[in-house]
Amino acid sequence: MTGSLASADVGRHNLALVAGRLAALGSASRSELAEATGLARGSVTALVRRLQGDGLVRETTSVAPSGKGRPRTMLELSGDHLAILTLLVDADRATAVASALNGTRLARRARRHGRPMGDPARVADVAAAVVEELLGELRAGGRRIAEASVVVWAPVGGEPTVVLADTDLDWGVVDLLALLRERSPELDALGRAGRLQLLADTAVAAVAEHLDAGRPSELLYLKSDSGIGGAIVVDETPLDGSHHLAGALGHLPVVPDGARCGCGQRGCLVTVAGPDALLAAAGLDGLAREAGLTVALETFVARIRAGEPRAVAGWHGGRAELARALQILIMAIDPAVIVLGGYLAGLAEDIAAELAAIQPGIDGRRLVPPPVRGSRLGGDAALLGAERTALAKALAEPAALAR
Ligand SMILES: [Zn+2]
């Protein structure tokens, strides 16, 4: 009995292993899967047959080898009866996106929620309506949701997972998943099945940046679009921490006895290098109020490039604080690469130069700062990362996804 239970466990584990490696590789032959998983070729063949029978894997074009020998049959994820659902709730809008297991985007619906400050129920009304519309379209196409995630531009934590505080929407602790489940029977069903999760944008964006950077052993991600956020990816996973605080880079207390921050501390990085502080220093706070942060930050970057004195002076103050914060983080993490996201992506070279200038060296040896570069994924990083996270979670139990 124990033996057969153990072997059933091994079988399930190996099935998930093969599906997961195929998702990571995108496309692979059976031999490549055997090599990537360390399983015997015969086992891989049997597991692939099972995944094909469940409608999760299909054979694709036979690639003619460069030399002689038979053409190879390649495999990829299929799952034509399934979709991954991602709901993004940012400061302006709710966007629902459905994608296939191989990453192909199937449908997208977006609607502005009007930014009703301090009123999460109204945001949930709009978000749930967008999801219901998208789900209707998917049902018509014969697909069900394999895994769903809700991404917020705020820290999340707790059990069940809740939004801890969203300064863009003036939220305190909000159980957004509960609000959505009250409004959408389908999201409620996914929640009961353990297939609905709440994710913070920085953590999932960092997952996508980590893949894009070639999966380095340690990656430091720092981004700014409303406040300042970040993530520390180690061993493929963003650090969460014992109190969900890891990667809260905007709240590094960098100025002794500095201004009081919303988090309760004094002198946080966001108070001296966040968009509000820098736009005010550059004389662009009025534009931010009238036209929104995105427009104001685009204008800020354009004026820095054009050498407009107030923008440059404001930026140089912020840049010095950001570089010093990175200098501290380098000593704590020793990352292989630093990726800057949000509007900082366009100023990465400038920050890298500042960082190189202030690295003092240790014991006479000059430390070489890790490469600092701007995000190449732009605004899609959070969506891409959420999709990868959801897919990995779904493929951990491939049998539950069978047609
Ligand atoms: Zn703070």
Side-chain angles (χ1 to χ4, degrees):
M1 191 66 194
T2 323
S4 67
L5 272 180
S7 78
D9 272 353
V10 169
R12 216 165 55 210
H13 171 81
N14 288 346
L15 199 65
L17 186 62
V18 167
R21 288 316 297 164
L22 185 55
L25 294 167
S27 168
S29 67
R30 287 172 177 80
S31 304
E32 286 165 346
L33 278 175
E35 196 173 324
T37 57
L39 297 172
R41 178 69 159 73
S43 304
V44 168
T45 300
L47 292 163
V48 165
R49 191 180 305 128
R50 164 124 190 243
L51 290 167
Q52 282 178 297
D54 288 346
L56 297 176
V57 164
R58 68 169 154 246
E59 293 184 344
T60 57
T61 44
S62 298
V63 180
S66 47
K68 49 190 178 180
R70 288 183 302 150
R72 291 181 310 159
T73 303
M74 304 300 282
L75 303 163
E76 67 172 28
L77 291 180
S78 54
D80 296 337
H81 58 296
L82 297 170
I84 300 282
L85 169 68
T86 312
L87 172 64
L88 307 144
V89 181
D90 65 24
D92 289 318
R93 61 183 65 222
T95 307
V97 179
S99 55
L101 299 194
N102 65 9
T104 308
R105 299 272 156 75
L106 301 167
R108 184 180 189 119
R109 287 268 189 286
R111 196 174 301 164
R112 296 181 76 94
H113 51 60
R115 207 175 178 191
M117 299 299 275
D119 193 349
R122 271 177 59 201
V123 174
D125 287 342
V126 174
V130 167
V131 166
E132 288 292 318
E133 257 178 48
L134 189 84
L135 291 177
E137 187 175 331
L138 289 173
R139 261 195 307 274
R143 289 183 190 258
R144 66 180 160 91
I145 302 300
E147 189 73 35
S149 47
V150 178
V151 181
V152 290
W153 268 245
V156 305
E159 184 65 50
T161 313
V162 296
V163 180
L164 295 177
D166 188 330
T167 47
D168 292 338
L169 291 167
D170 197 19
W171 291 2
V173 171
V174 171
D175 191 347
L176 182 59
L177 292 185
L179 291 174
L180 291 169
R181 289 173 64 173
E182 283 166 15
R183 289 160 174 79
S184 162
E186 204 138 359
L187 284 179
D188 188 45
L190 286 163
R192 270 186 277 114
R195 297 197 168 275
L196 175 67
Q197 53 183 342
L198 182 67
L199 303 165
D201 70 310
T202 46
V204 282
V207 166
E209 296 291 356
H210 179 256
L211 279 171
D212 185 59
R215 307 158 78 150
S217 50
E218 304 85 16
L219 177 140
L220 173 60
Y221 176 62
L222 179 104
K223 70 139 212 181
S224 181
D225 39 38
S226 50
I228 293 176
I232 299 156
V233 183
V234 179
D235 291 337
E236 317 254 314
T237 311
L239 272 185
D240 188 24
S242 295
H243 311 87
H244 309 293
L245 288 174
L249 306 183
H251 299 284
L252 292 172
V254 292
V255 182
D257 295 324
R260 177 77 73 181
C261 177
C263 75
Q265 302 188 107
R266 285 188 179 278
C268 290
L269 182 62
V270 69
T271 65
V272 288
D276 290 340
L278 300 192
L279 291 173
L284 289 168
D285 41 341
L287 181 64
R289 277 192 300 274
E290 289 155 25
L293 269 179
T294 307
V295 170
L297 288 170
E298 281 167 9
T299 306
F300 183 46
V301 174
R303 287 191 183 177
I304 294 166
R305 293 226 170 94
E308 195 270 316
R310 261 191 100 178
V312 170
W315 168 237
H316 283 183
R319 181 183 66 178
E321 299 291 356
L322 289 166
R324 214 171 68 81
L326 291 179
Q327 189 188 1
I328 293 167
L329 290 164
I330 287 167
M331 296 312 291
I333 302 158
D334 189 14
V337 61
I338 297 174
V339 177
L340 302 177
Y343 85 96
L344 296 177
L347 297 164
E349 276 181 31
D350 205 15
I351 294 175
E354 176 84 2
L355 181 61
I358 62 172
Q359 280 280 6
I362 291 178
D363 193 22
R365 290 163 198 266
R366 191 169 172 76
L367 272 174
V368 180
V372 178
R373 64 163 181 79
S375 164
R376 294 184 287 237
L377 302 174
D380 261 359
L383 171 59
L384 281 166
E387 286 173 341
R388 296 299 304 198
T389 304
L391 180 62
K393 186 162 170 272
L395 290 179
E397 275 294 343
L401 304 176
R403 182 166 15 225

